[in-house]
Amino acid sequence: MKKIIMSLLSLSLFAGIAVGCTSDQDKTTKKSKESKESTEVTSGASANGYTDLSELEDQYDIVIIGAGGAGMTAALQAKEAGMNPAILEKMPVAGGNTIKSSSGMNASETKYQKEEGITDSNDKFFEETLKGGKGTNDKELLRFFVDHSADAIDWLDTKGIELSNLTITGGMSEKRTHRPADGSAIGGYLVDGLVRNVKEEKIPLFVNANVTEITEKDGQVNGVKVKLNDKETKEIKSNAVIVTTGGFGANKEMLEKYDPKLKDYVTTNQEGTTGDGIKMIENLSGATVDMKEIQIHPTVQQDKSFLIGEVVRGEGGILASQEGARFVNEMDTRDKVSAAITALPEKSAYLVFDQGVRDRAKAIDFYDEQGFVVEGKTIEELAKNFDMPEAALKETVEQWNKDVQAKSDTQFNRATGMDHDLSTGPYYAIKIAPGIHHTMGGVKINTKTEVLKEDGAPIKGLYAAGEVTGGLHGANRIGGNAVADIIIFGRQSGTEAANFASAQK
């Protein structure tokens, strides 16, 4: 448990940095320290907006399993609908994998796009996501997803969570990745904002509350069994249950079961992402879909298994081999970029960028604090630091800059993330290789987020949202779509569960 807490404390520190004002680093650092200190409280209660376990009641209108982005969003939406929800989280802090999100949230036809003169459409978003998923996406889920994406951005605005800064991710043709105004990583900012809203709405959020079973009676879900602080087990009754426990990217056994080739890969997932929700739903005869579709992210720092966000490439970064040459369209879909890196002799590469990229992608400051970033005053010095041919890397960057000026990638036909060249020293690089990042497979749901059985019939009173579900992303997830997934379907699950629970009263 100590290892888990320390890991999460590191993520909490990242959250504090991501939320902070870039013009006042001292306040940000102070806030991060305060967050760390408060998290060290045994239960993590009160100081972080968590509810003491002694206040856990025997019954709620809706029980939500998991306090990541989808779970907190579902709770807020259910509360808006007049329900009395409670959130149960097995880890010592809220946030789940959401807190590790970096690039942003994809959405089309938003007010922020219109303000920047970006002409986008839900149809284009649909087609590009379908293409990225190799045509295997659940089209009904995908249609609902794109058509409700702009509403989700507006809803976050009403919660004081503004995502007004736009960038782009691989597989997309438009700037539709929304992030905080200062360009910082979205994860900490989003979790911080959701926790704040949950606290303001007086929604009980219990940590160290590990749900071990979803109960049912007469074919209808009626509550959960939860283990508190790894000790006593308590049964909670509810009219509906929403499962938002995330995927299984940190469960080695499940990963190897569905794809043995992943045995030696590092994972970017937080330690609680172990597929618990999927297993509990399978025990209720819930169906699963796409379980073998496991996404490898191309840019993962291997020593600490930390994802380096796609925003670095979206803002102009390039990938170079040990020989100092580009070898792929850096803005292609994640599966293709990962495959290109794995095909290199070293099975690793370098993410190269300049001060301009660093200024536009604030998450890099955190990567630097973690010791991931290597600096060179010149391109040649940077290459020397990696024992890379100096002339080769210089030629690569010079050619890239010419291509950016001409708006034509002569090597790999890259068409996005080319708004700025790499000509502002100093220069930087992070050594990366692919790592396990996202499990596209999960439990099967419909557009009402009802959990379905193999015959397509819904399990009454049971809903699910976020990475615990499958079908939306198909065979490959587009960067920025996971955050959109948790907000869009988190809201939908809260609404639909509230409708169901209300009818039971």
Side-chain angles (χ1 to χ4, degrees), residues 248-264 274-275 278-279 282-283 288 290-294 436 439:
F248 56 95
N251 186 322
K252 283 187 173 294
E253 291 74 21
M254 286 184 74
L255 289 167
E256 289 182 37
K257 173 184 176 181
Y258 291 111
D259 191 345
K261 298 191 301 295
L262 302 179
K263 181 179 179 180
D264 297 323
T274 52
I278 296 172
K279 295 174 189 174
E282 284 183 319
N283 288 338
T288 58
D290 293 343
M291 291 296 286
K292 292 184 178 181
E293 302 296 352
I294 299 167
I436 296 164
T439 49

Side-chain angles (χ1 to χ4, degrees), residues 159-418:
K159 305 300 180 187
I161 304 170
E162 181 182 296
L163 302 178
S164 56
N165 187 309
L166 298 176
T167 189
I168 196 166
T169 57
M172 300 281 96
S173 66
E174 302 290 349
K175 285 188 174 183
R176 61 172 68 105
T177 308
H178 296 64
R179 55 185 178 165
D182 66 355
S184 60
I186 191 174
Y189 176 77
L190 182 58
V191 168
D192 197 60
L194 290 172
V195 170
R196 182 185 70 248
N197 277 275
V198 165
K199 185 177 181 180
E200 289 173 355
E201 294 295 333
K202 296 182 172 53
I203 298 171
L205 194 172
F206 301 95
V207 295
N208 296 313
N210 184 18
V211 174
T212 58
E213 182 182 344
I214 300 168
T215 59
E216 64 176 344
K217 183 179 180 181
D218 299 327
Q220 181 171 313
V221 164
N222 68 346
V224 301
K225 290 182 181 179
V226 56
K227 196 169 188 178
L228 309 176
N229 275 327
D230 288 328
K231 296 177 182 177
E232 66 166 315
T233 297
K234 184 172 182 177
E235 189 163 348
I236 311 296
K237 296 298 182 183
S238 65
N239 292 328
V241 171
I242 303 174
V243 183
T244 56
T245 51
F248 56 95
N251 186 322
K252 283 187 173 294
E253 291 74 21
M254 286 184 74
L255 289 167
E256 289 182 37
K257 173 184 176 181
Y258 291 111
D259 191 345
K261 298 191 301 295
L262 302 179
K263 181 179 179 180
D264 297 323
Y265 277 69
V266 301
T267 181
T268 66
N269 289 254
Q270 62 98 5
E271 294 181 54
T273 313
T274 52
D276 301 354
I278 296 172
K279 295 174 189 174
M280 287 188 286
I281 288 172
E282 284 183 319
N283 288 338
L284 297 175
S285 299
T288 58
V289 60
D290 293 343
M291 291 296 286
K292 292 184 178 181
E293 302 296 352
I294 299 167
Q295 182 172 72
I296 307 303
H297 194 287
T299 56
V300 176
Q301 200 280 340
Q302 299 290 294
D303 294 337
K304 293 188 178 181
S305 305
F306 206 95
L307 181 143
I308 306 302
E310 207 155 336
V311 65
V312 181
R313 286 172 283 147
E315 290 297 333
I318 61 173
L319 289 170
S321 68
Q322 186 64 51
E323 298 304 313
R326 288 179 66 217
F327 55 90
V328 69
N329 171 359
E330 295 87 351
M331 296 302 289
D332 211 332
T333 52
R334 291 174 172 181
D335 56 333
K336 292 180 181 178
V337 178
S338 295
I341 296 171
T342 303
L344 294 171
E346 300 80 13
K347 300 186 184 302
S348 62
Y350 301 91
L351 181 56
V352 178
F353 53 96
D354 69 350
Q355 186 62 44
V357 172
R358 181 165 183 165
D359 290 342
R360 294 186 297 275
K362 295 301 180 182
I364 294 172
D365 292 339
F366 176 75
Y367 304 150
D368 195 8
E369 290 176 11
Q370 296 300 300
F372 304 158
V373 181
V374 174
E375 178 181 337
K377 299 299 181 185
T378 64
I379 293 293
E380 292 90 338
E381 182 180 321
L382 182 66
K384 189 174 182 180
N385 288 335
F386 289 109
D387 196 26
M388 190 185 294
E390 298 171 32
L393 184 61
K394 182 178 182 181
E395 182 181 347
T396 293
V397 173
E398 288 177 346
Q399 182 59 56
W400 170 249
N401 288 344
K402 291 177 183 177
D403 289 350
V404 169
Q405 294 302 320
K407 298 298 180 186
S408 175
D409 178 7
T410 56
Q411 287 186 282
F412 300 103
N413 297 315
R414 173 170 164 177
T416 58
M418 297 182 69

Side-chain angles (χ1 to χ4, degrees), residues 118-185:
I118 296 171
T119 302
D120 197 4
S121 73
N122 294 342
D123 288 345
K124 185 184 288 187
F125 189 11
F126 179 96
E127 292 299 332
E128 290 175 359
T129 300
L130 187 63
K131 180 180 178 182
K134 301 179 182 178
T136 64
N137 317 61
D138 182 313
K139 294 181 178 62
E140 289 186 10
L141 290 179
L142 181 55
R143 189 74 249 177
F144 184 94
F145 171 79
V146 299
D147 288 345
H148 290 80
S149 62
D151 288 342
I153 294 289
D154 292 341
W155 181 81
L156 286 172
D157 271 355
T158 69
K159 305 300 180 187
I161 304 170
E162 181 182 296
L163 302 178
S164 56
N165 187 309
L166 298 176
T167 189
I168 196 166
T169 57
M172 300 281 96
S173 66
E174 302 290 349
K175 285 188 174 183
R176 61 172 68 105
T177 308
H178 296 64
R179 55 185 178 165
D182 66 355
S184 60

